[in-house]
Amino acid sequence: MSAALPPTPEPVRIGIVSVSDRASNGVYEDKGLPALEEWLTRALKNPIAFEPRLIPDEAERISATLVELADAGCTLVLTTGGTGPALRDVTPEATLAVAHKEMPGFGEQMRQISLRFVPTAILSRQVAVIRDKSLILNLPGQPKAIAETLEGLKNADGSQAVPGIFAAVPYCIDLIGGPYLETDDAVCKAFRPKTAIRTRT
């Protein structure tokens, strides 16, 4: 029998990291952090404490930031930027360097979604990993692509055409011992096996 939920959704701490040389140096305004925060605020019913970071494309700095956020209790850490083939794109390498487990299905699904729009999606190298009790996901750099990969694609009638990666995130967090994430089904319906679904009594 599944456990009962507390009276209100559990609070969650989420790290959001924008990786960009130019944005971190003030050459242009960063759009990654606001896009991540906006989408997560819409998608989750849980109270969220965000830990934002804007950093340059430096592998050691990225790895250190991910470790810092995991150690600070961020159940979920989302990065944006630095996942292409350019010489300065090192986010995937920096993420894998701090991984305890790799979760390849997330990157595979992100590329499948992006391929619906552009053939250059095959150049994307996003990865997902687990470090201790933190799930770390590399996302695309553009706000539109961030929302598409998280939320998935919908038909004209609003039904789900292609599942987004976030549908699997809450159950993954369950399995690594994190808080029970509750989503707004209108934005992104989380999938859990029936035995893992909790209800309020």
Side-chain angles (χ1 to χ4, degrees):
M1 187 173 179
S2 59
L5 284 173
T8 57
E10 297 177 67
V12 59
R13 184 175 298 277
I14 298 179
I16 51 176
V17 183
S18 185
V19 182
S20 169
D21 284 333
R22 289 180 291 176
S24 63
N25 287 323
V27 175
Y28 60 69
E29 182 182 2
D30 172 66
K31 295 183 179 179
L33 295 176
L36 289 170
E37 188 167 333
E38 188 274 333
W39 192 89
L40 290 163
T41 301
R42 283 194 299 115
L44 285 174
K45 295 180 179 179
N46 304 67
I48 305 171
F50 286 106
E51 292 284 352
R53 302 289 188 275
L54 176 57
I55 59 177
D57 293 274
E58 297 171 3
E60 289 187 5
R61 178 79 177 274
I62 298 166
S63 292
T65 299
L66 298 179
V67 170
E68 173 204 346
L69 292 171
D71 289 350
C74 291
T75 297
L76 180 64
V77 179
L78 304 179
T79 75
T80 175
T83 59
L87 294 178
R88 292 286 291 175
D89 289 338
V90 294
T91 301
E93 288 78 12
T95 302
L96 291 170
V98 302
H100 294 150
K101 294 179 182 177
E102 189 175 355
M103 303 294 289
F106 285 103
E108 292 165 5
Q109 183 64 5
M110 281 189 267
R111 284 180 281 278
Q112 286 300 312
I113 292 169
S114 296
L115 278 168
R116 297 276 185 127
F117 300 97
V118 290
T120 50
I122 60 175
L123 303 179
S124 298
R125 302 184 303 113
Q126 292 101 327
V127 300
V129 306
I130 291 170
R131 179 180 176 84
D132 295 326
K133 291 187 176 183
S134 297
L135 174 63
I136 302 172
L137 302 174
N138 296 159
L139 296 174
Q142 297 300 317
K144 179 175 180 290
I146 289 171
E148 288 165 352
T149 54
L150 289 171
E151 194 167 327
L153 308 177
K154 294 182 179 179
N155 296 310
D157 63 359
S159 62
Q160 194 82 50
V162 181
I165 64 165
F166 204 84
V169 167
Y171 185 51
C172 184
I173 298 296
D174 293 349
L175 293 173
I176 61 175
Y180 191 87
L181 299 186
E182 300 181 55
T183 59
D184 183 339
D185 290 355
V187 179
C188 177
K189 183 176 175 60
F191 176 83
R192 287 180 170 97
K194 288 182 180 179
T195 55
I197 296 173
R198 304 178 196 174
T199 56
R200 289 194 169 85
T201 55

